[in-house]
Structure formats: C-alpha cells, structure tokens
Amino acid sequence: MDLIFSPEVRAAREAGAPLVALESTIITHGMPWPQNVETARRVEATVRDAGAVPATIAVLAGQLHIGLDAAELDQLGRAEGVLKLSRADLAACLAQRRTGATTVAATMIAARLAGIEVFATGGIGGVHRGAERSFDISADLRELSETAVTVVAAGAKAILDVPKTLEVLETLGVPVIAYGQDAFPAFWSRNSGLPAPLRMDSAAEIASAHVLRGRLGLAGGQLVANPIPAADEIDAAQLAPIIAHAIGEAEAQGIAAKSVTPFLLQRIFELTEGRSLEANIALVLNNARLGAAIAIEIARRRG
Ligand code: PSU
Ligand code: MN
C-alpha cells in the first residue's frame, strides 16, 4: 500500500519541516457544508501561518492520502455517503476502493505511518453517557494508548461522560495534559469542573515529554487538552439542557454505534442556532496553532 502525499507534504518531508496531521471526519461528519470546507481551509492556513505544514488525511477511492489539494478537500466536503473510518474500518475501505474520512483513531494510525508526530483536531471521542448500558466507548481512547502521536484537542465534549472518559484514559496509561490551566477543558467551555491529571504551560514541555516517551519505549500518544479561547466559549450551564435534549432524541430514535457522535453534533448545531459551530471552529483553529508550535519544538529536538 502506498501513501499518497500531496506536493506540499512531500516537499515538507524532504526538507524535514514540521508537519501537523489533520483529520477528515470533522469535515464530513462533524460540520455542515460549506462551513466544513471553509474551516478545513482556515485550519490548514493557521498551521502554515504558525510555521508548520498541514497534512489533512483521508481515503479517496481506496488510496490513503496524506495531505489533500484544494480540489480534493472541496470534493470530500461536498460528497455524500463518505464512510467514517476508525481503526476497524481503515483496511476494509482501502481493500474495497472506497472513500472514507478518518476519525481521530484512524488519523493517528495514518499519521504514524507517514512519520507525523502531532495531530490537531476539535474533540476526541470518549465514553458516552450511559456507556454502562450501551458500552459506547470510542476507539479513539484505545488508539491514544497504542499509537505514538500527540493529539491536540479541546478536551472532551459535554455530550460524553467526561469523568468516565478521564478514568478510561488513566486506565490505558494515556497522559492527559491540560494546556495553561489546571482544569480539564470541556470542548465548548473552558472548564469541565474536573482537574486534568497533568498540566503544561509551553509547547516546548509538551514536545519534550513526547520525545521522552519514545526514549522510554512507551507505546501510545499524549492527549493535549487545549481550552477554547475565553471569547468563544459557551457557558456549560446554557448548553446542558440542549445536550440532554439531543441525547434523549438519539435514544428515542435508536441512534447507535458510529452514528451517535455525528447525530448529536448536528442536533446541537441546530438547537444552538449555529453557536456550537462557531465555538467549534474557534477551538479547532486554536488547536491548529498549538499543534504547529508543538510540531516545531519536536522537529527542533529531532533535528
Ligand atoms: N468531536 C468533534 N467533532 C468530530 C468528532 C469528534 O467535535 O467530528 C469526530 C472525530 O473524528 C472523532 C469521532 O474521532 O468523531 C469520534 O466518533 P465516535 O464517538 O463514534 O468514536
Ligand atoms: Mn461510539
């Protein structure tokens, strides 16, 4: 299997320039068109402005792309019926020559194959509320324990059971590092009310820890939880009834497995009249900036 590098990513690899992986499920299943493509472009531009090179990852017609050109990104963002690919689906999508967007788990796998050590996204999957009945725990969590990529996200969404998500990450031995504060952030808001297990205040420290994990022979990555900028956050108390309502609808309609996260994100977007999307865009851009800074520090340590 060949990896298909975009010209920009190929040049960066040859030059040893810092790279930041970006996922594509956020484009196909996480945001509506056309904001999805606009945001993906802005995220890429943000990584470039911060001095690194973006590599958006997706499977197009059975080929694993590391970096998409403008036309490919646009096509993916408009396409219907794109598969949502996690660890379990990646090889099947390639074998069947289909098109799929990579989740956090699948993007980590592809990034590692491509030698990319940092990945910026919005939110990771986690333990869903009611997981004691549904057993719905995202494969993202186990991937963090197996694949050596540092993932920058804005914490875990309040659609999840955040305490259980932190417990599973602890069980799996995944470092969870809040950036610049003690509290674990909650995606649309800065504070989940729970302390993060670790705190770091600079990209340099995060990069050092990433490199040292490799030296210690530890498998798995790090989760960097970067709080949404204060100006963009939505008050958690304001969102709570909306989230509860969306979860109730999902249960009533029998939404399960892969469909749960996209369904909840779409309903919360509708119920907040788009405010959740604005916050989501702001936090992804913020994560792209930090991801670039960490990639630059890692490249410095490797170089
Ligand atoms: N969180 C978001 N937007 C997203 C996702 C998470 O704010 O689009 C996507 C990511 O790709 C993540 C996936 O890996 O949802 C998790 O899905 P699941 O809960 O089915 O594992
Ligand atoms: Mn799930």
Side-chain angles (χ1 to χ4, degrees):
M1 178 209 55
D2 292 324
L3 300 176
I4 310 294
F5 295 105
S6 67
E8 183 186 19
V9 171
R10 186 175 315 124
R13 283 163 58 83
E14 281 161 13
L19 281 148
V20 176
L22 302 168
E23 65 156 304
S24 44
T25 295
I26 190 173
I27 302 172
T28 56
H29 294 72
M31 292 187 183
W33 190 82
Q35 288 99 330
N36 60 349
V37 175
E38 283 163 22
T39 304
R41 290 222 177 89
R42 286 177 66 195
V43 171
E44 290 194 344
T46 300
V47 171
R48 289 187 195 103
D49 288 348
V53 175
T56 301
I57 291 173
V59 177
L60 305 180
Q63 292 196 299
L64 182 47
H65 285 251
I66 313 292
L68 302 181
D69 67 28
E72 289 164 341
L73 191 66
D74 197 67
Q75 232 180 342
L76 188 71
R78 291 167 184 266
E80 310 249 332
V82 175
L83 300 173
K84 176 179 164 187
L85 308 176
S86 189
R87 162 178 276 258
D89 320 289
L90 199 49
C93 182
L94 295 169
Q96 297 180 317
R97 307 230 141 258
R98 299 178 72 181
T99 292
T102 50
T103 60
V104 168
T107 304
M108 289 179 75
I109 293 167
R112 195 189 52 79
L113 275 176
I116 302 174
E117 300 184 80
V118 180
F119 160 26
T121 184
I124 58 157
V127 180
H128 278 265
R129 295 196 202 171
E132 61 277 18
R133 284 171 281 116
S134 68
F135 275 48
D136 188 345
I137 302 176
S138 176
D140 291 351
L141 300 184
R142 222 195 67 171
E143 204 60 53
L144 279 161
S145 75
E146 297 210 342
T147 300
V149 173
T150 286
V151 178
V152 183
K157 284 179 298 286
I159 61 173
L160 301 169
D161 186 320
V162 180
K164 285 195 183 72
T165 299
L166 287 172
E167 288 291 352
V168 169
L169 288 165
E170 182 182 315
T171 300
L172 293 171
V174 176
V176 176
I177 304 162
Y179 182 65
Q181 66 179 30
D182 293 325
F184 185 69
F187 199 74
W188 294 295
S189 36
R190 288 173 66 81
N191 190 338
S192 66
L194 297 164
L198 299 165
R199 168 186 176 153
M200 291 188 187
D201 293 338
S202 72
E205 267 184 316
I206 296 167
S208 287
H210 175 99
V211 170
L212 286 165
R213 284 181 59 83
R215 299 237 174 93
L216 288 166
L218 298 174
Q222 310 187 104
L223 176 61
V224 177
N226 186 25
I228 184 172
D232 301 299
E233 78 174 324
I234 308 179
D235 183 49
Q238 202 183 318
L239 271 179
I242 290 173
I243 291 168
H245 185 81
I247 291 174
E249 284 182 341
E251 273 168 21
Q253 294 178 35
I255 308 288
K258 283 173 176 301
S259 306
V260 174
T261 297
F263 176 89
L264 292 176
L265 291 177
Q266 172 64 23
R267 284 303 285 142
I268 291 164
F269 166 70
E270 289 160 6
L271 294 166
T272 60
E273 291 162 351
R275 267 211 71 201
S276 67
L277 179 61
E278 278 172 46
N280 199 341
I281 292 169
L283 66 85
V284 181
L285 295 172
N286 192 44
N287 295 343
R289 272 186 293 273
L290 180 57
I294 296 167
I296 290 165
E297 290 291 342
I298 292 176
R300 190 171 289 160
R301 282 160 180 73
R302 298 260 185 248

